Amino acid sequence: ETNEVKQCYCLFLHAITHNALVPILLTNQLARHLDTILSALLEDIVSNPMMNVRKLCINILKALVIEWCASSGAKEPLEGWHQFVFQRIGCEVSLRLCLNGSLNLSKDVASNIVFGELLSLQRTLYDCLGEKFVECGVNVELTQLGFPPPVL
């Protein structure tokens, strides 16, 4: 039952992000809940047992990245948004999803679809943020996991 509620919540957020309603998330009434909303999306990407919910969450974040990064250019739509995108979406969640063993890419079509959506999100992040996105992933997140820094 909890998973069905989460799915309905994600469908609601998906409708907001894909019907030109994203600006309502920045209104005074909702802005204070934005961190909770984003954190819930990130956690569901990594741990929700329903692959369709994971896919929805990735698509919601992708729509937010497109709306808030691509349209705003260098100006942040919210304080700390670019840092959040670099660390939480781009690196932490992507790495956790790939390393936690919940995707079975050799046998599960739904896992492959989720992985494809994740790659699409990564591409969108790169398109919006450029080399700074790659540098954050390589120089910060991977080195924190114990990978050696790249030799150039």
Side-chain angles (χ1 to χ4, degrees):
E1 188 173 300
T2 301
N3 289 331
E4 290 173 7
V5 172
K6 285 183 177 184
Q7 183 175 15
C8 288
Y9 179 67
C10 290
L11 286 168
F12 173 69
L13 291 173
H14 191 272
I16 288 173
T17 57
H18 289 81
N19 288 295
L21 298 171
V22 171
I24 69 167
L25 294 174
L26 299 178
T27 62
N28 289 336
Q29 294 85 5
L30 288 178
R32 67 177 185 254
H33 301 289
L34 198 54
D35 187 53
T36 304
I37 292 169
L38 293 171
S39 293
L41 288 171
L42 296 175
E43 193 54 41
D44 276 336
I45 289 172
V46 175
S47 65
N48 195 295
M50 300 168 66
M51 289 294 174
N52 63 326
V53 172
R54 290 181 182 203
K55 182 180 178 284
L56 274 173
C57 293
I58 292 170
N59 283 321
I60 292 164
L61 288 175
K62 183 177 176 182
L64 292 174
V65 167
I66 290 168
E67 177 82 18
W68 289 340
C69 287
S71 63
S72 66
K75 182 179 177 261
E76 286 189 311
L78 325 160
E79 185 179 337
W81 172 248
H82 287 148
Q83 188 68 21
F84 177 83
V85 168
F86 285 132
Q87 290 183 336
R88 300 286 311 276
I89 298 175
C91 298
E92 178 190 329
V93 166
S94 298
L95 289 171
R96 282 180 59 203
L97 179 60
C98 292
L99 298 175
N100 72 3
S102 66
L103 296 180
N104 185 352
L105 298 176
S106 64
K107 296 181 181 177
D108 182 26
V109 173
S111 289
N112 280 284
I113 291 170
V114 168
F115 187 68
E117 292 296 328
L118 179 66
L119 293 177
S120 177
L121 173 60
Q122 293 286 320
R123 177 58 195 227
T124 301
L125 289 166
Y126 176 75
D127 290 344
C128 291
L129 303 169
E131 290 298 317
K132 289 191 289 185
F133 172 66
V134 176
E135 290 170 14
C136 177
V138 172
N139 295 329
V140 178
E141 297 300 322
L142 289 178
T143 54
Q144 287 179 356
L145 289 173
F147 292 93
V151 177
L152 299 177

